[in-house]
Amino acid sequence: MSLLGAAQIRELAAALDLKPSKSLGQNFVIDSNICTKIVRTAGVTSSDIALEIGPGLGSLTLALLQTAAAVVAVEIDQRLATQLPITVAAHFEHPENLTVINQDALTLKDLPVQPTVLVANLPYNVSVPVLLHLLEKFPSLRTGVVMVQAEVADRLAGRPGTKEYGIPSVKAAWWAEVKGAGSVSRSVFWPAPNVDSKLVSFTRRETPGDEASRKKVFTIIDAAFAQRRKMLRSALSSLYGSSSGAEAILIRAGIDPTLRGEALEISSFCAIAAVAPDNY
Ligand code: SAM
């Protein structure tokens, strides 16, 4: 097994006449050490089935194949999805361990195998919706490490009461415990992005409710953060008819109505949903 370096990535791109697409977030990792580090940080073992979103030219895919029992890679760009098995067959003795699916990750509903770990350098413009979608659709994913734009990483791992805390932090907390897992230099990418990157790791936890209650809780979260600077009684007034209606619900849930959404843990949003009417 040999991993891909800068020269091989450029050669592959040239052979495909690939002009990296900004809208698809195509910044390829050209440093194999960072790929090995991501796989190690994710704690991938030989019994894991890894799900990779956006394998691109295959740098991280090859590092994953070195350790995991199998890799399922979902790539939206048809040229890259077609090339990937060829690249893997040229560098790895068990190319049958890789399954490539040419699809938009946001539309994934099922997979041929149940993945246990998510490892991905996510396309930055859709990283939060992709992560939330995968956590929802694939409960077999128990852990993972994703590389995302630094600000997004801070938001995903944000704690209540900080300026980073917002919709991504609370919604991710429904599914998992999310933590920062280090910064990544711009120099490991081709082309170099004009934003910084960070790793975040997650470990799935038991969800605080069923699917119906998740939808209800997520609607409350969206309303609370849509008007971030407003007190909850006012931010939730559109959901509950008036600010006095919202205030009554908040008091019943044991939440101070003058707080802002950014002060509440996921458990407090669940407490509001538990006493709020369903029919709004
Ligand atoms: N994993 C590769 C690496 O580290 O070099 C490439 C990462 S690059 C940041 C993002 C990759 O995601 C690109 O290959 C891009 O084509 C792919 N991509 C973009 N949007 C996607 C989507 N909605 N679903 C699946 N793949 C997507």
Side-chain angles (χ1 to χ4, degrees), residues 25 42 56 70 77 101 115 143 148 158 201 204 221 226 233 268 273:
D77 186 326
I101 298 173
T143 174
V148 295
S201 68
R204 190 180 282 277
I221 293 168
R233 67 178 171 214
S268 299

Side-chain angles (χ1 to χ4, degrees), residues 110-125:
D110 42 42
L111 287 167
V113 285
Q114 297 300 308
T116 55
V117 60
L118 172 68
V119 183
N121 172 13
L122 288 175
Y124 287 2
N125 47 350

Side-chain angles (χ1 to χ4, degrees), residues 174-175 206-218 270:
W174 173 274
W175 303 109
E206 199 177 324
T207 57
D210 61 13
E211 197 46 21
S213 73
R214 181 186 69 77
K215 287 187 177 141
K216 195 171 168 184
V217 169
F218 278 24
C270 295

Side-chain angles (χ1 to χ4, degrees), residues 141-199:
L141 283 173
R142 45 172 185 80
T143 174
V145 167
V146 292
M147 177 143 66
V148 295
Q149 186 177 336
E151 286 76 11
V152 173
D154 293 343
R155 266 182 247 146
L156 281 167
R159 300 298 309 139
T162 64
K163 69 176 175 16
E164 290 81 19
Y165 191 67
I167 291 175
S169 339
V170 211
K171 288 189 176 175
W174 173 274
W175 303 109
E177 197 184 323
V178 183
K179 288 188 190 147
S183 302
V184 178
S185 160
R186 292 183 192 196
S187 66
V188 307
F189 299 97
W190 172 77
N194 47 19
V195 293
D196 291 320
S197 300
K198 283 187 180 175
L199 300 174

Side-chain angles (χ1 to χ4, degrees), residues 24-29 52-60 74-77 80 103-106 121-126 130 147:
L24 291 180
Q26 291 181 341
N27 300 96
F28 303 105
V29 174
E52 184 186 5
I53 301 302
L57 290 163
S59 340
L60 186 55
V74 179
E75 172 59 61
I76 199 170
D77 186 326
L80 296 175
Q103 196 176 328
D104 179 345
L106 286 167
N121 172 13
L122 288 175
Y124 287 2
N125 47 350
V126 288
V130 166
M147 177 143 66

Side-chain angles (χ1 to χ4, degrees), residues 2-15 18 20 27-35 57-60 62 87 91 186-192:
S2 54
L3 298 180
L4 301 177
Q8 284 121 322
I9 291 288
R10 287 215 173 84
E11 267 168 36
L12 273 169
L18 180 79
N27 300 96
F28 303 105
V29 174
I30 52 172
D31 178 344
S32 59
N33 290 328
I34 187 74
C35 296
L57 290 163
S59 340
L60 186 55
L62 281 166
T87 305
H91 289 82
R186 292 183 192 196
S187 66
V188 307
F189 299 97
W190 172 77

